[in-house]
Amino acid sequence: MKKLTLFSIFLAAVVIILGAYTRLTDAGLGCPDWPGCYGNLTVPLSEEKVAQANAAYPERPVEAFKAWNEMIHRYFAGTLGLCVLAIAVIAVRQRDKGRPVKLPLLLLGLIVFQAALGMWTVTLNLLPVVVMGHLLGGFSVLSCLFILYLRLRESANDELGYKERSTVSALHGDEAGNSAQAKTFQRNLKFFAFIGLGVLVTQIALGGWTSANYAALACTEMPVCESGWQDRIDIAGAFSVPDADNYEFGAHDYGERVTMHIVHRFGAVITFLYLLALGINVLVSRSATNKQKYVSAFMLVALCTQVALGLSNVVFMLPLAVAVMHNAVAAVLLLSLLNLIFTVFRILENDQVFDLEKQGNAPFSVSKPLQGAFRNQQARTSSLHESEYASLRDSYQDPMSGSTSSHILPKAPGGFHG
């Protein structure tokens, strides 16, 4: 199941890239019907089939290049759907073995809804709301698959005896301060990382809206837009859906597209500054684990790459390769932030389990002689537990970071693991 999930992540990334390529080559209506193409499973190529297709859809004659772009995207999306269906079936059949079930079923529902959005994209003639929703649906599927893979990988490590280290001993150099300070940092990191996730998803949605309305080149000057842009701002019009029979090449006026583009630029600045501050804070903090520092460094590289690609889109007038990479790196940035959040939940869950273990065997309401005997026994047990804990901490090697792990604990229910 883990290998199938990893393969599905690769497929989902390919589908997102192909979707961006299809949109940027104006091939969203390369096949005017769904799920086939001009009533065929493949693009019509023979003279006879082309003539039949043109007769059936005289308003949209066959353009083989655009039709193939659309159909290849559909082939990969269909394969991804079958993989997600297989994951859901395996999860249900292996639910007694502790395999995740809710997340695979959620993925299956997302795939079905994503297929419906793909159909509406064609049947509603590239309605911007649907196009943007289709983009966000693709990112959602990729994110859920990535979280599922992280869960399965950690479960496999648990079965082998590996475990994410507790907050105190997992800190850089094991000299990060007391447990309370470390736990506070992790809780704060979880809070601010979730805010960052909301900011990033909002920015991805703004990018999708800008692209769906063909506003990527509405502004070609830096840092904001061409002179007089203040007079063209129209927030209400920019985020409305005008009545139109066909939304190909956009249905908004120039001022509304300028507004979309400017809002996307300001959103990019906010996203960059927030994630930059978040990543640097993790890198310089002594309460962050080595793994969290590595993930944050990777996130910052993706963030800077994304900004450079966004600037290149403007300066070089939206080159196809750069625009496609802009979508791909957005997905990488999203996954890196999710990975950071996952590490926080993992550490906090392990600390919670360890605290419960230390608080176990609390004395019951019994007579005073029995209470005294129980306290003596508890002191001996606690001393033995601490010595065994220290022995495990000194002897166990964490395969992910190469440093010693503080304890080996059973997986805690709930939390980010769903």
Side-chain angles (χ1 to χ4, degrees):
M1 184 174 174
K2 185 175 72 171
K3 291 182 179 179
L4 180 58
T5 302
L6 184 60
F7 177 69
S8 299
I9 291 174
F10 169 76
L11 272 182
V14 171
V15 170
I16 288 175
I17 292 173
L18 288 175
Y21 183 79
T22 301
R23 184 172 64 255
L24 290 166
T25 55
D26 301 323
L29 295 178
C31 295
D33 53 342
W34 191 93
C37 190
Y38 293 94
N40 301 281
L41 293 177
T42 62
V43 177
L45 296 177
S46 66
E47 293 184 3
E48 180 182 357
K49 288 189 175 182
V50 169
Q52 293 175 352
N54 291 337
Y57 297 92
E59 75 286 353
R60 192 165 294 279
V62 176
E63 295 181 71
F65 173 73
K66 293 184 178 181
W68 274 119
N69 288 350
E70 175 65 14
M71 287 308 296
I72 291 173
H73 173 61
R74 292 183 188 180
Y75 294 150
F76 275 90
T79 304
L80 174 62
L82 293 177
C83 289
V84 170
L85 175 61
I87 290 172
V89 171
I90 294 172
V92 172
R93 295 185 64 177
Q94 295 184 354
R95 61 186 181 277
D96 296 334
K97 298 181 181 180
R99 301 299 185 193
V101 177
K102 294 180 181 179
L103 190 52
L105 292 179
L106 173 63
L107 267 167
L108 184 59
L110 275 175
I111 281 291
V112 173
F113 184 61
Q114 186 71 345
L117 287 173
M119 177 185 67
W120 294 331
T121 297
V122 176
T123 58
L124 297 178
N125 294 319
L126 304 181
L127 182 67
V129 173
V130 175
V131 174
M132 183 187 71
H134 197 43
L135 173 69
L136 292 177
F139 276 83
S140 299
V141 170
L142 178 64
S143 299
C144 289
L145 283 169
F146 184 66
I147 295 171
L148 178 61
Y149 175 75
L150 292 177
R151 287 194 56 189
L152 293 173
R153 187 184 64 181
E154 293 300 327
S155 297
N157 289 341
D158 292 346
E159 292 173 0
L160 294 174
Y162 303 145
K163 196 71 176 176
E164 188 81 40
R165 296 182 295 165
S166 66
T167 301
V168 179
S169 64
L171 300 175
H172 181 65
D174 293 343
E175 299 175 354
N178 57 59
S179 175
Q181 179 183 357
K183 289 180 181 179
T184 299
F185 171 80
Q186 296 295 331
R187 293 191 183 100
N188 290 337
L189 178 58
K190 180 179 72 171
F191 175 75
F192 288 109
F194 266 116
I195 293 179
L197 182 63
V199 171
L200 179 58
V201 171
T202 301
Q203 177 62 9
I204 292 173
L206 287 173
W209 184 255
T210 301
S211 178
N213 287 284
Y214 300 85
L217 290 178
C219 295
T220 57
E221 294 185 7
M222 302 295 293
V224 181
C225 195
E226 286 78 5
S227 60
W229 61 267
Q230 299 91 337
D231 299 328
R232 298 189 181 97
I233 296 297
D234 183 2
I235 297 293
F239 295 96
S240 63
V241 180
D243 293 330
D245 295 329
N246 193 323
Y247 294 92
E248 190 175 24
F249 307 117
H252 290 82
D253 62 34
Y254 177 65
E256 293 168 346
R257 297 190 198 194
V258 165
T259 303
M260 297 175 199
H261 191 107
I262 291 175
V263 170
H264 181 54
R265 284 196 189 184
F266 279 109
V269 172
I270 294 172
T271 304
F272 174 73
L273 293 177
Y274 189 92
L275 294 184
L276 181 67
L278 179 66
I280 292 177
N281 185 57
V282 174
L283 287 178
V284 301
S285 174
R286 294 183 61 82
S287 295
T289 66
N290 288 330
K291 184 175 181 181
Q292 288 174 333
K293 291 176 183 291
Y294 171 79
V295 173
S296 296
F298 184 85
M299 181 184 73
L300 290 177
V301 172
L303 178 65
C304 294
T305 303
Q306 182 71 346
V307 171
L309 289 170
L311 293 174
S312 299
N313 277 331
V314 177
V315 174
F316 300 109
M317 303 297 290
L318 202 66
L320 180 59
V322 175
V324 171
M325 286 300 299
H326 195 51
N327 284 263
V329 176
V332 172
L333 183 59
L334 176 61
L335 296 188
S336 63
L337 183 55
L338 288 173
N339 195 9
L340 179 62
I341 294 173
F342 187 87
T343 63
V344 175
F345 272 88
R346 187 71 170 169
I347 289 172
L348 291 177
E349 285 176 356
N350 290 342
D351 281 336
Q352 182 182 15
V353 172
F354 178 65
D355 290 341
L356 291 174
E357 283 189 345
K358 293 191 69 175
Q359 295 171 7
N361 300 323
F364 295 97
S365 178
V366 293
S367 63
K368 291 183 177 180
L370 287 178
Q371 287 182 5
F374 184 87
R375 280 194 293 269
N376 293 335
Q377 178 64 27
Q378 187 182 38
R380 290 194 297 272
T381 303
S382 176
S383 177
L384 177 61
H385 176 80
E386 292 297 331
S387 64
E388 290 177 346
Y389 172 76
S391 175
L392 282 172
R393 181 186 60 196
D394 295 336
S395 63
Y396 177 63
Q397 186 84 3
D398 190 335
M400 299 301 294
S401 62
S403 57
T404 55
S405 177
S406 59
H407 58 283
I408 303 173
L409 299 173
K411 179 178 177 180
F416 190 75
H417 297 292

